[in-house]
Every structure is written in C-alpha cells, then in structure tokens.
Amino acid sequence: MSGISWNDKYCLASKPLSFLHPNIPSMLSIGIITRGKYGRRLLDTIANHTEFTVSFADIPPTLPDFIDEPAPFVDNLDLDPKVLSSDLLINYSLNPDITPEIVERAASARAKAVIIPGGWARAGDPEKMKEISVQYGTRILVEDICCEIGDDTDPTINEFASVLGRPGLEVQVRDGKISNVKVICGAPCGSTWWMAEHLKGVPVSEAPAWGGLLVQQYPCRAVRGTMGGIHLSAELHKQAVEDATRKHHSGVN
C-alpha cells in the first residue's frame, strides 16, 4: 500500500463496513492491545481475511520486570478508549502485572469479551479475572495459542471464532493432488492461509503431514520446544487437512 503508513493502513481497516458499504450491516468490532511485534500479525489477518472492524493501541515492547502499581502505570500508557470499548478486546500486553488492570478497564468500558493470548503465566491472577468477569458480565478467555479458539459459551467469541481460531478447510483434488484449498476458519496469526497456498500440488496422501510441517515452518510466535505451542498448532492444522480431504472424498463439500 504505497504512500500509506502502517498506522494509516489500520485506520483505513478500522472504518466500519456499514460506512464503506451502506448495504452491509456493521460487524464485530475488535480492539487489539499490541506490544511491539506481538499482535501485529493479527491486525494483518483481520484486514486481509475478515470483515471485522479493528482498532489498536500499542504499548512499549520493553516493560519493567515488576510493576508494583499497575493503575498509574496503565494511566501513563494513555490507551485509546475506543480500543478498550470494542465488542472484543484481544490483549497482547503479555504481562501479569498490568493485564488484569487493562482487562478491568475494558470490562468497565462495556467490552463484551476479552481474549488473552499467551496463557495464564502472562495473564495474571485467575481469581482476579473471575472477579472481573462476574462483576461486569464480560467473558474472559485465556489461551496458550489462538488457533485453539473454538466453540465457546459467549456469542462474541463465537462470532470471532467463526473466522479466526481453530482451523477449518475445504479442498479440491485433481489427479490425486491438492489443487486448491479454501480457508473457512484460520489461525489469527495467518499461518493457515500460508499453509493453504503451499499445499497446492501436494499428493492427498501426504497433505495432512505436510500441513502440520508447513505451519511449523511459518514464523508463528507460539512457544516451541514443548508439547503444546507450535506443535499443538501443527496438530490442529494436520487434523483440519485430514478432515477436509475426508469430506472431499465423501462428497460432503
């Protein structure tokens, strides 16, 4: 997008569809707290693959090791109220000291749901999160990896997960090879679309294993070297390819 800065790009992306196209009803509004590189791929994915409206607020990539007084610290971050009051806030602060403070501010601003990537180690006190959820009626979902997001009790998260979350695919096959892959639901980091493009031409019998391998080659920021993280993401994508090829052969698509 020549001549348009990264910030300008997402100002454009955050315009409601009802404003850009009057015949299309407004969609889910998503606010993202980014921290350095974390959260920016999600911005790209939303802009490129969804009709959600999106806004964001960036916090410094480097934070103190311990933040004794989160409230004044978050005050100094000067977070955009529009981001906090979105239907869904996705918080990449990745800091257990300030995450509960940011979540409570979003909940008090009437955010319907909050997703916290990175797991409980970076989310803060579970009891505090439960207290916030009960007080404001806000669904708070903590996930190690966002491509594990699926059916939920909350309609706002379900609307998000219908497009971004646990991968779902449709495939076309020609001469025993994958000829095309349609992403029905993809990982928020964008790895599913990258995998889909690189699966073309792969023999059907090898496609699931290739799908898992390709996701591990994608520069996803999920944790590596453990049983979860990127390895769980690879398994979820392998299963998605298996399901899609099975449906193709059974004529379900």
Side-chain angles (χ1 to χ4, degrees):
M1 196 174 285
S2 178
I4 298 178
S5 70
W6 190 78
N7 283 339
D8 288 340
K9 176 181 177 182
Y10 290 103
C11 286
L12 291 173
S14 66
K15 288 185 182 295
L17 283 180
S18 56
F19 173 81
L20 297 173
H21 305 286
N23 293 328
I24 300 178
S26 59
M27 300 288 286
L28 184 71
S29 64
I30 298 176
I32 303 175
I33 303 295
T34 59
R35 179 179 169 187
K37 64 185 180 181
Y38 294 99
R40 296 198 178 191
R41 284 214 183 101
L42 175 56
L43 284 167
D44 285 332
T45 304
I46 290 173
N48 293 329
H49 300 293
T50 82
E51 294 182 338
F52 300 142
T53 62
V54 63
S55 58
F56 73 99
D58 196 29
I59 66 175
T62 303
L63 299 175
D65 292 334
F66 180 71
I67 300 171
D68 189 39
E69 298 186 27
F73 187 91
V74 174
D75 284 340
N76 289 332
L77 294 176
D78 195 25
L79 300 175
D80 185 348
K82 175 186 175 183
V83 176
L84 296 177
S85 63
S86 300
D87 295 327
L88 172 64
L89 179 74
I90 303 177
N91 182 11
Y92 283 90
S93 58
L94 303 174
N95 182 290
D97 294 328
I98 64 171
T99 294
E101 180 67 24
I102 293 173
V103 170
E104 183 161 16
R105 293 184 186 210
S108 66
R110 299 188 176 181
K112 297 174 184 176
V114 178
I115 294 174
I116 304 171
W120 279 108
R122 298 184 178 188
D125 181 8
E127 288 302 315
K128 178 61 176 177
M129 290 299 182
K130 182 178 179 180
E131 178 185 313
I132 294 169
S133 179
V134 170
Q135 180 178 353
Y136 296 100
T138 302
R139 171 72 169 118
I140 300 173
L141 178 64
V142 179
E143 288 284 7
D144 289 317
I145 57 171
C146 286
C147 55
E148 198 172 12
I149 299 171
D151 289 340
D152 195 82
T153 57
D154 182 80
T156 299
I157 289 180
N158 280 339
E159 186 175 352
F160 175 79
S162 69
V163 182
L164 299 175
R166 188 179 293 267
L169 310 167
E170 290 181 2
V171 300
Q172 294 178 1
V173 177
R174 182 179 301 162
D175 299 327
K177 296 181 179 180
I178 302 294
S179 59
N180 192 50
V181 181
K182 179 181 179 181
V183 177
I184 306 302
C185 183
C189 69
S191 62
T192 312
W193 285 270
W194 188 85
M195 176 201 73
E197 185 63 28
H198 289 80
L199 273 180
K200 294 176 183 177
V202 174
V204 172
S205 61
E206 300 175 14
W210 268 102
L213 179 62
L214 286 165
V215 166
Q216 292 180 81
Q217 293 175 345
Y218 183 80
C220 174
R221 296 190 175 102
V223 174
R224 296 169 186 268
T226 67
M227 292 301 292
I230 192 65
H231 301 293
L232 176 55
S233 179
E235 181 62 28
L236 291 171
H237 282 81
K238 177 184 175 183
Q239 291 175 4
V241 178
E242 287 176 344
D243 291 343
T245 55
R246 188 184 308 114
K247 288 177 181 178
H248 173 82
H249 288 307
S250 64
V252 172
N253 287 352

